[in-house]
């Protein structure tokens, strides 16, 4: 009999399902994980919630084959060490999404109707009816940042309140957003036009501190920010400053650390609760059921769809995964970071076609800031399906002798509104190189680091105008490529520079050189 160790306070339905399917189960939420691991070296599967699963703990269970995180985030598990030990790590994505979506509605209503203060004062014998003039959620404009599992469910829950929903998510397709009834707009517009902005994006190096003074400053006086995502997304000092100026309302569920003690946001939070977004009986039941069923499907049918640290097959090296990531990132920057690609097409040469599914993960990582490096083993196809983005790997003729190389095309829209970015590249002496962007061939530049790309009508003097703007700001140019396109009409200038280039400088380059397109990107 295979042994499953449930080392957390999880609904007992998981143990029941597993036992019914002839697994030996030990469930213990009182003993610490280190002791449990020592006492159960024969465990085949481990189920946890937010318990820390370190390399040391993993090493105490030499028979372990799978760890299941009953929940979405898995940053508490050393997934890389697990991989090295041949252990698959799974999560149960979406199992608690409804709980969080409902929490957001609860926080908005409780805040609008002063429920907490109303209860406290009435209980104390006061009658402060006049003080508690409320507001209604019905008909309000709600901006949702991140239209994943939680964001999408929140849209559904809000439809009953006749809300106008604005959304910002870098990868959702316009047609999927339309089906949901969401008006996609820029990050700035979401903040500018919403009565309530609710955050549902992951914390990553790209989203840390994203909600800053500039965005918050666009909000209307008296509007509301709800954070049930992660604390690090908001720049707390900026919120403090703008809240004082604009009398914003702030409802919060999340903290830098989940523990008792004073909280730094106490002075700015109008309503704060102890990270209870996913804390419902139903979410616990869902996650428990999913955890047990996923273990059974994994053992009996080899179902690995929720494995988050999947191994890469022999034959696909790291350089070509990196190349796929770089090309997708360049294509996304070239198409425009405000664009919403709804179609990805690849041509993979030199036998790389066999690894199209595995390469989908770094490609998604390249087009979506959501795919933090920790996600790069995740099955990307399910993710793309949810976003309404199609992924096609075109058949190629390997007899053409293109070597190991690839083309990644991103499309947005169709017919007259179709926009496309096509980027081709290869690995040269161990370095991923971009060889072509749309009609600009023989580029051969290293896409890593800071780059500025400018497309302009080919005529004398334009390149000098571009470089003089860059020089004006003390930015050093390390390398330049500037070929003409195949028709000889336009040129592209690719400047590799020594530091970041602001949107204002890019706008200046565009204005002074009369460029058709100018973009900046940084690939670390
Ligand atoms: P998800 O992965 O299904 O969706 C996240 C969405 O954010 C994706 O659609 C992605 O494209 C989008 N995104 C990524 N970066 C973005 C950016 N810079 N701007 C706009 N959109 C961006 O995740 P989910 O299950 O919906 O959860 C969202 C977050 O909520 C999680 O990352 C987690 O941090 C948090 N969460 C909190 C609780 C809680 O108890 N309060 C519970 C579960 C999840």
């Amino acid at each position: 009999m295979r042994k499953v160790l449930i080392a957390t306070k999880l609904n007992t339905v998981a143990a029941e399902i597993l036992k019914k399917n002839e697994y030996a189960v030990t469930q213990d939420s009182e003993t610490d994980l280190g002791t449990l691991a020592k006492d159960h070296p024969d465990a085949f599967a481990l189920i946890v919630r937010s318990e820390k699963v370190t390399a040391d703990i993993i090493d105490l269970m030499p028979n372990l084959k799978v760890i299941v995180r009953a929940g979405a985030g898995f940053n508490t598990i050393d997934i890389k060490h697990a991989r090295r030990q041949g252990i698959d790590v799974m999560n149960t994505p979406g199992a608690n999404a409804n709980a969080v979506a409902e929490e957001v509605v609860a926080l908005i209503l409780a805040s609008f109707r002063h429920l907490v203060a109303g209860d406290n004062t009435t209980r104390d014998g006061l009658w402060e009816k006049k003080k508690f003039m409320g507001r209604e959620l019905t008909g309000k404009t709600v901006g949702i940042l991140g239209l994943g599992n939680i964001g999408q469910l929140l849209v559904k829950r809000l439809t009953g309140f006749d809300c106008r929903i604005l959304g910002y998510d870098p990868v959702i397709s316009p047609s999927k957003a339309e089906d949901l009834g969401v008006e996609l707009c820029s990050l700035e517009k979401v903040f500018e036009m919403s009565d309530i902005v609710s955050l549902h994006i992951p914390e990553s190096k790209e989203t840390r501190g994203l909600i800053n003074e500039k965005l918050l400053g666009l909000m209307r006086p008296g509007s509301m920010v709800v954070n049930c995502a992660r604390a690090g997304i908001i720049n707390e000092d900026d919120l403090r400053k703008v809240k004082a100026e604009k009398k914003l309302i702030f409802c919060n569920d999340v903290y830098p650390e989940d523990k008792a003690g004073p909280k730094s946001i106490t002075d700015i939070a109008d309503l704060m609760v102890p990270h209870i977004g996913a804390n419902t009986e139903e979410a616990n039941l869902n996650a428990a059921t999913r955890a047990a069923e996923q273990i059974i499907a994994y053992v009996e049918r080899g179902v690995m769809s929720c494995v988050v640290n999947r191994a890469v097959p022999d034959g696909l090296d790291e350089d070509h995964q990196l190349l796929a990531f770089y090309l997708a990132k360049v294509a996304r920057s070239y198409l425009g970071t405000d664009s919403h690609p709804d179609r990805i097409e690849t041509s993979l040469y030199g036998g790389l076609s066999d690894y199209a599914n595995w390469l989908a993960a770094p490609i998604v990582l390249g087009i979506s800031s959501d795919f933090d490096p920790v996600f790069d083993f995740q099955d990307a196809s399910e993710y793309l399906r949810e976003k309404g983005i199609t992924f096609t790997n075109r058949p190629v003729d390997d007899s053409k002798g293109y070597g190991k190389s690839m083309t990644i095309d991103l499309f947005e829209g169709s017919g007259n509104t179709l926009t496309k970015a096509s980027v081709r590249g290869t690995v040269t002496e161990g370095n991923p190189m971009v060889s072509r962007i749309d009609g600009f061939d023989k580029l051969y530049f290293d896409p890593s680091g800071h780059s500025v790309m400018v497309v302009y009508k080919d005529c004398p003097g334009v390149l000098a105008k571009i470089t003089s703007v860059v020089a004006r700001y003390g930015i050093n140019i390390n390398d330049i490529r500037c070929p003409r396109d195949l028709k000889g009409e336009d040129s592209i200038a690719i400047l590799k520079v020594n530091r970041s280039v602001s949107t204002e400088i890019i706008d200046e380059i565009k204005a002074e050189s009369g460029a058709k397109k100018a973009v900046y990107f940084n690939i670390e």
Side-chain angles (χ1 to χ4, degrees):
M1 248 189 186
R2 290 193 162 99
K3 182 184 237 183
V4 181
L5 174 61
I6 305 178
T8 188
K9 201 165 174 346
L10 190 66
N11 190 297
T12 51
V13 73
E16 284 160 24
I17 295 172
L18 287 162
K19 281 181 194 161
K20 241 188 239 158
N21 284 273
E22 298 183 358
Y23 290 80
V25 181
T26 300
Q27 177 158 14
D28 185 343
S29 57
E30 301 301 320
T31 313
D32 74 277
L33 185 53
T35 311
L36 280 175
K38 244 185 244 154
D39 292 348
H40 299 278
D42 52 341
F44 155 85
L46 169 69
I47 303 180
V48 288
R49 292 201 302 165
S50 44
E51 293 75 14
K52 248 191 150 153
V53 185
T54 60
D56 289 345
I57 286 181
I58 290 172
D59 290 343
L60 289 171
M61 292 179 278
N63 292 313
L64 207 57
K65 282 280 161 281
V66 58
I67 301 171
V68 182
R69 153 78 168 112
F74 44 85
N75 53 338
T76 40
I77 301 174
D78 189 338
I79 58 166
K80 288 193 176 139
H81 186 72
R83 181 72 278 139
R84 282 193 288 273
Q85 303 304 106
I87 298 166
D88 289 320
V89 178
M90 296 181 189
N91 66 349
T92 58
N96 53 24
N98 186 59
V100 182
E102 285 193 15
E103 183 196 34
V104 173
V105 179
L107 286 171
I108 299 170
L109 292 175
S111 164
F112 272 0
R113 304 307 295 268
H114 311 285
L115 295 186
V116 178
D119 178 87
N120 285 339
T121 52
T122 313
R123 207 174 281 281
D124 287 345
L126 303 173
W127 193 255
E128 298 199 314
K129 185 171 173 173
K130 280 193 190 140
K131 205 168 141 188
F132 297 136
M133 180 59 75
R135 288 161 71 190
E136 294 178 24
L137 171 56
T138 301
K140 293 284 180 295
T141 300
V142 182
I144 301 182
L145 241 66
L147 290 159
N149 286 306
I150 298 173
Q152 292 190 21
L153 270 172
L154 179 59
V155 175
K156 282 195 191 157
R157 300 295 166 261
L158 289 173
T159 48
F161 288 94
D162 298 331
C163 290
R164 176 183 180 199
I165 312 282
L166 309 180
Y168 175 76
D169 189 309
V171 294
I172 198 159
S173 72
S175 62
K176 177 86 184 176
E178 200 182 326
D179 289 349
L180 286 166
V182 175
E183 294 171 45
L184 283 183
C185 38
S186 69
L187 194 54
E188 288 75 16
K189 282 276 174 242
V190 168
F191 278 80
E192 205 179 302
M193 294 164 59
S194 301
D195 299 300
I196 300 157
V197 173
S198 193
L199 310 177
H200 300 288
I201 56 176
E203 183 178 340
S204 67
K205 62 176 188 290
E206 295 191 36
T207 61
R208 212 158 288 135
L210 177 74
I211 314 306
N212 58 14
E213 186 177 349
K214 195 172 155 209
L215 284 176
L216 293 164
L218 297 170
M219 295 186 81
R220 300 180 197 150
S223 46
M224 180 189 284
V225 177
V226 183
N227 189 6
C228 295
R230 285 291 178 264
I233 295 166
I234 298 185
N235 180 319
E236 198 179 304
D237 288 336
D238 287 4
L239 175 59
R240 187 165 283 107
K241 192 169 165 213
V242 182
K243 183 180 158 72
E245 284 161 14
K246 299 216 164 185
K247 302 215 174 341
L248 301 181
I249 305 167
F250 176 44
C251 300
N252 184 68
D253 182 40
V254 284
Y255 306 85
E257 275 190 285
D258 278 11
K259 63 173 194 192
K263 303 281 174 285
S264 62
I265 56 156
T266 308
D267 62 319
I268 47 172
D270 296 275
L271 206 48
M272 55 198 276
V273 288
H275 200 169
I276 52 171
N279 224 17
T280 65
E281 286 172 14
E282 291 83 352
N284 194 291
L285 177 70
N286 277 346
T289 310
R290 290 270 300 274
E293 287 175 349
Q294 281 178 209
I295 288 178
I296 296 164
Y298 173 81
V299 172
E300 290 169 17
R301 299 189 290 282
V303 176
M304 315 242 314
S305 53
C306 291
V307 172
V308 294
N309 67 339
R310 185 169 302 178
V312 168
D314 288 346
L316 178 59
D317 57 55
E318 249 183 53
D319 289 343
H320 286 91
Q321 289 176 70
L322 201 59
L323 176 67
F325 167 72
Y326 279 4
L327 299 187
K329 190 107 184 164
V330 173
R332 183 67 208 273
S333 309
Y334 192 73
L335 194 64
T337 40
D338 267 350
S339 62
H340 297 281
D342 48 26
R343 192 151 50 100
I344 303 172
E345 288 186 13
T346 55
S347 299
L348 306 171
Y349 297 92
L352 289 172
S353 228
D354 295 345
Y355 306 110
N357 290 341
W358 277 273
L359 287 169
I363 291 171
V364 171
L365 182 65
I367 65 161
S368 155
S369 53
D370 182 33
F371 264 54
D372 213 5
V374 80
F375 283 91
D376 69 357
F377 296 107
Q378 201 170 27
D379 185 356
S381 57
E382 171 67 11
Y383 181 84
L384 291 169
R385 196 185 56 72
E386 273 173 19
K387 303 285 171 206
I389 301 173
T390 58
F391 179 92
T392 313
N393 182 41
R394 294 177 290 234
V396 295
D397 179 1
D398 264 342
S399 68
K400 284 185 175 165
Y402 285 167
K404 272 190 172 182
S405 60
M406 58 182 90
T407 303
I408 297 176
D409 295 346
L410 300 185
F411 300 85
E412 181 181 13
S414 59
N416 290 342
T417 63
L418 177 78
T419 51
K420 178 187 169 190
S422 176
V423 179
R424 191 172 153 64
T426 186
V427 176
T428 309
E429 294 174 2
N431 300 311
M433 289 284 171
V434 174
S435 57
R436 180 175 59 67
I437 298 176
D438 280 353
F440 303 105
D441 212 356
K442 300 198 173 64
L443 288 163
Y444 298 108
F445 77 96
D446 173 0
S448 63
H450 302 279
S451 307
V452 174
M453 283 194 293
V454 189
V455 177
Y456 54 94
K457 193 167 164 26
D458 187 40
C459 63
V462 182
L463 191 57
K465 287 181 187 157
I466 297 167
T467 53
S468 72
V469 176
V470 172
R472 193 181 307 147
Y473 288 93
I475 297 169
N476 198 37
I477 300 170
N478 304 335
D479 190 8
I480 296 190
R481 299 277 190 283
C482 52
R484 285 193 302 174
D485 67 2
L486 297 173
K487 292 184 208 150
E489 288 171 2
D490 289 335
S491 284
I492 191 169
I494 298 177
L495 281 57
K496 304 293 302 176
V497 291
N498 66 333
R499 67 165 173 83
S500 64
V501 178
S502 67
T503 318
E504 288 74 22
I505 301 176
I506 289 294
D507 289 344
E508 235 171 278
I509 290 176
K510 241 177 131 180
E512 290 192 21
S513 66
K516 295 181 172 179
K517 181 196 274 267
V519 295
Y520 158 77
F521 61 89
N522 178 27
I523 306 182
E524 286 168 356

